[in-house]
Coordinates of all heavy atoms in Angstrom, one line a residue:
N8 N 2.2 19.0 10.5 CA 2.1 20.4 10.6 C 2.6 20.8 12.0 O 2.2 20.4 13.0 CB 0.5 20.9 10.5 CG 0.4 22.3 10.6 OD1 1.2 23.1 11.1 ND2 -0.8 22.8 10.1
V9 N 3.8 21.3 12.0 CA 4.6 21.7 13.2 C 3.9 23.1 13.8 O 3.8 24.1 13.2 CB 6.0 22.0 12.9 CG1 6.7 22.4 14.2 CG2 6.7 20.7 12.5
Q10 N 3.2 22.8 15.0 CA 2.6 23.9 15.7 C 3.6 24.8 16.5 O 3.4 26.0 16.5 CB 1.5 23.4 16.7 CG 0.5 22.4 16.1 CD -0.4 23.1 15.1 OE1 -1.0 24.2 15.5 NE2 -0.4 22.7 13.9
R11 N 4.6 24.1 17.1 CA 5.6 24.8 18.0 C 7.0 24.1 17.7 O 7.0 22.8 17.7 CB 5.3 24.8 19.4 CG 4.2 25.8 19.8 CD 4.0 25.8 21.3 NE 4.1 24.5 21.9 CZ 4.1 24.3 23.3 NH1 3.9 25.4 24.1 NH2 4.2 23.1 23.7
F12 N 8.0 24.9 17.8 CA 9.3 24.3 17.7 C 10.2 25.2 18.5 O 10.6 26.4 18.2 CB 9.8 24.4 16.2 CG 11.2 23.7 16.0 CD1 11.3 22.4 15.7 CD2 12.4 24.5 16.2 CE1 12.6 21.8 15.4 CE2 13.7 23.8 16.0 CZ 13.7 22.5 15.7
E13 N 10.4 24.8 19.9 CA 11.0 25.6 21.0 C 12.4 25.1 21.2 O 12.6 23.9 21.4 CB 10.1 25.5 22.3 CG 8.8 26.3 22.0 CD 8.0 26.3 23.4 OE1 8.6 25.9 24.4 OE2 6.9 26.8 23.3
S14 N 13.2 26.2 21.5 CA 14.6 25.9 21.9 C 14.8 26.7 23.2 O 14.8 28.0 23.1 CB 15.6 26.3 20.8 OG 15.4 25.6 19.6
W15 N 15.2 26.0 24.2 CA 15.5 26.6 25.4 C 16.9 26.0 25.8 O 17.0 25.0 26.6 CB 14.5 26.4 26.6 CG 13.2 27.0 26.2 CD1 12.2 26.7 25.5 CD2 12.9 28.2 27.0 NE1 11.2 27.6 25.5 CE2 11.6 28.5 26.4 CE3 13.4 29.0 27.9 CZ2 10.8 29.6 26.8 CZ3 12.7 30.2 28.3 CH2 11.3 30.4 27.7
P16 N 18.0 26.8 25.6 CA 19.3 26.2 25.9 C 19.5 25.9 27.4 O 19.0 26.7 28.3 CB 20.4 27.4 25.4 CG 19.6 28.0 24.3 CD 18.1 28.0 24.8
G17 N 20.0 24.8 27.7 CA 20.1 24.4 29.1 C 18.8 23.8 29.8 O 18.8 23.6 30.9
S18 N 17.7 23.8 29.0 CA 16.4 23.3 29.5 C 15.9 22.3 28.7 O 15.8 21.1 29.1 CB 15.6 24.5 29.6 OG 14.2 24.1 30.0
H19 N 15.3 22.6 27.5 CA 14.7 21.7 26.7 C 14.6 22.0 25.2 O 14.7 23.3 24.9 CB 13.3 21.3 27.3 CG 12.3 22.4 27.1 ND1 12.2 23.4 28.1 CD2 11.3 22.8 26.2 CE1 11.2 24.4 27.6 NE2 10.8 23.8 26.5
A20 N 14.2 21.0 24.4 CA 14.0 21.2 22.9 C 12.5 20.6 22.7 O 12.3 19.3 23.2 CB 14.9 20.5 22.0
L21 N 11.6 21.3 22.3 CA 10.2 20.9 22.1 C 9.7 20.9 20.7 O 10.0 21.9 20.0 CB 9.3 21.7 23.1 CG 7.9 21.4 23.1 CD1 7.3 21.3 24.5 CD2 7.0 22.3 22.2
I22 N 9.0 20.0 20.3 CA 8.4 19.9 19.1 C 6.8 19.5 19.3 O 6.6 18.6 20.0 CB 8.9 18.9 18.0 CG1 10.3 19.3 17.7 CG2 8.0 18.8 16.8 CD1 11.1 18.4 16.7
D23 N 5.9 20.4 18.9 CA 4.5 20.1 18.9 C 4.0 20.0 17.5 O 4.0 21.1 16.8 CB 3.8 21.3 19.8 CG 2.3 21.1 19.9 OD1 1.7 20.2 19.3 OD2 1.7 22.0 20.7
A24 N 3.5 18.9 17.1 CA 3.0 18.7 15.8 C 1.7 17.9 15.6 O 1.6 16.9 16.4 CB 4.2 17.9 15.0
V25 N 1.0 18.3 14.7 CA -0.2 17.5 14.3 C 0.2 16.8 13.0 O 0.6 17.5 12.1 CB -1.4 18.5 14.2 CG1 -2.6 17.6 13.6 CG2 -1.9 19.1 15.4

Side-chain angles (χ1 to χ4, degrees):
N8 185 336
V9 176
Q10 306 291 306
R11 288 187 319 176
F12 187 92
E13 292 184 2
S14 299
W15 289 79
S18 178
H19 68 273
L21 182 135
I22 295 177
D23 179 352
V25 175

